[in-house]
Amino acid sequence: MISSDDSDPPAPASGGSAGSVSLAVMVNGTRYPLTLDPRCTLLDVLREQLDLTGTKKGCDHGQCGACTILVDGRRVLACLTLAVMKDGANITTIEGLAKDGVLHPLQQAFIEHDAFQCGYCTPGQICSAVGLIAEGRAQTADEIRESMSGNICRCGAYPNIVAAIQQAMGLP
Amino acid sequence: MINFQYARAVSVSEAVRLMAGTPGAKFIAGGTNLVDLMKMDVERPTALIDVSRLPLDTVEETPGGGLHIGALVRNSDLAYHPLVERRYPVLSSALLAGASQQLRNMASIGGNLLQRTRCAYFYDVATPCNKREAGSGCSALGGLNRMNAILGTSDNCIAVHPSDMCVALAALEAKVHVTGTRGERVIAFADFHRLPEAEPQRDNNLAADELVTGIELPQRGFETHYSYLKIRDRSSYAFALVSVAVCLELGGGRIREARLALGGVAHKPWRDAGAEAALSGQSANEATFMRAAALVLSKAKGFGHNTFKIDLARRAVVRALSQAAGGTPQSQSNKKIA
C-alpha cells in the first residue's frame, strides 16, 4: 500500500504493528543507528534509548520548552518531533555543549548568575539560548525575553536567566 | 497515540498519489500541531506521509512583483526573510506574534494554514465536539468558551482558527497553491478557510488528496502603514483573544485603501468588506476608526465567558488602525501597546 523512498526502506509490518523504521542520527558527535516504532518522539529516543536524560520531559505537548534541543543547529522541541523524520540529522543536547571538561559559556553564565533553582527547565533554557545566540536576532533584554518565551521556568528565575544570556552574548 | 504507517515522499506527485491511495492518511511536515493531536487521540491517522523533505522550501519573486513562498518554508525563516521584513512587514510581525521560536523553527507555512482549533473541547475526547466527531454536539456553546468565537458562529460550532500568520495573509489577499490527483489549482485566501455552518468538521476547502504547495503574495505589501496587534492572556507565547491586522494606503490625509482582518474571533480570519469600505476615502482619525470598528462588531455575538471580546475587539480595531495610520506598528518584542 505504502512505501518509503529507496534509501530508507521500512521493515515490513508484522505482529499487528505498523512496522518499524531504520534510520541513523548524529547526537553530540556520535552516530546512532536506530530501528524505531514510528510513534517514538525524539525526546523519548534520547532519554529511553540513548540514555541522554539531560533533555527533560516537562509537558510533552510543546508548551514548556524543557525538551528544547538543537537539530541541525536550530532550537526545536524534541517532544513534538517524530524521530523517524530526523534520519541523518545532526543533534546537540545539553550533554554535548561542554568541550574537554570545560563548560559552555552559557552553562558557566547560568552558574555565575544563579539562573536556576530546581534546575528542571535549565537544559532546555540553555539549549534555547544557544539557538538564540546563533540566530543573531535578539540584542536587547526585551528581545531576549521575547525570544526565550517558549521556555517556562516554574521557579521564576527569569531575571537571572536573562542576565546569564546577556553575559554569554557579551552584552553590558 | 495509535500506530501508523510511515512513508517519506520524495516528490509532490508521489505525496499526492500516496495520499489518494491510503484511506485515513495525513501529511506531516513540521508536526507541531499534528503530533500533539495524535498524542491526545484527537487525530488518529492510519498513515503519515512525510512531506518535510519535498523541494518546497524557497521564497521567490514572481513575475508580477509578488512573492511565492514554498509550503515548507519554516515560520521563523519567513518572518526573518529580508524581502518579507521589508515589503510585507505585517506578515513578519504576525509570524513573530505566534508560538515560540522553537515552534516557529519547526512549523511550516503550509502547516500553519492547516492547524486545528485550540478549543478545549476539541482537544478533550471525553466531551462532545462537532468538529472532532460530526453530529456529537458542541460543548463550548454552554461551556467554558472564553477563547471561542464571536463572529460567524453557527449552532454547531464556535471554534476559532488559531493562526496569527493567516490573519496577515487574509489582509494581504494571498493565494494558496495546492496540488491534488486532479492537478494544481490556486485558491483565494478568503475562500481557503470555512465558516463552521453545518459542517464544522471541515476547516477548509481542500480536497482530501490535496497538498498545499505554496503561498503567493501579491505585489502590494503596505510596508509603511500597517500593524499587527495581538491581545492575549500572557504577553508572549499565548493564543490570541483578539488580534487585528491592518494595512492602509494613505494620501493627502485620507485613507485611500484599508485592509482589516481579525484573528481569535471566528472560524477563519475575519474580513469585513463593509467596514473597509467605510474607511476608504475618509480622514484617518479616531472617529473614522470607531465607526469602522462598530461596523465590524455589529453582528458579533457572545456566549458568556467570551462576551468581553466584543468590546475588546472593537477597541483593538481602533488601536491597530491608529498604529497603522501613525506609522507606529505594534512591536512584537516591546509589548507596551502604544
Side-chain angles (χ1 to χ4, degrees), chain A residues 61-62 79 137 146 149 151, chain B residues 36 39 85 102 236-237 335:
Chain A
H61 290 283
C79 77
R137 303 292 304 204
E146 171 60 24
S149 71
N151 293 85
Chain B
D36 190 33
K39 288 184 180 189
E85 285 189 310
Q102 290 97 313
S236 184
Y237 199 20
K335 296 306 176 65

Side-chain angles (χ1 to χ4, degrees), chain B residues 272 274-279 290-299 314:
Chain B
D272 187 318
E276 291 179 8
L279 288 162
M290 288 176 77
R291 273 197 303 277
L295 276 173
V296 175
L297 279 309
S298 60
K299 292 196 179 74
R314 190 180 291 124

Side-chain angles (χ1 to χ4, degrees), chain B residues 298-321:
Chain B
S298 60
K299 292 196 179 74
K301 180 183 171 188
F303 296 88
H305 297 280
N306 71 346
T307 306
F308 74 98
K309 280 181 155 188
I310 300 172
D311 271 341
L312 183 66
R314 190 180 291 124
R315 291 175 188 151
V317 167
V318 173
R319 187 66 65 100
L321 282 164

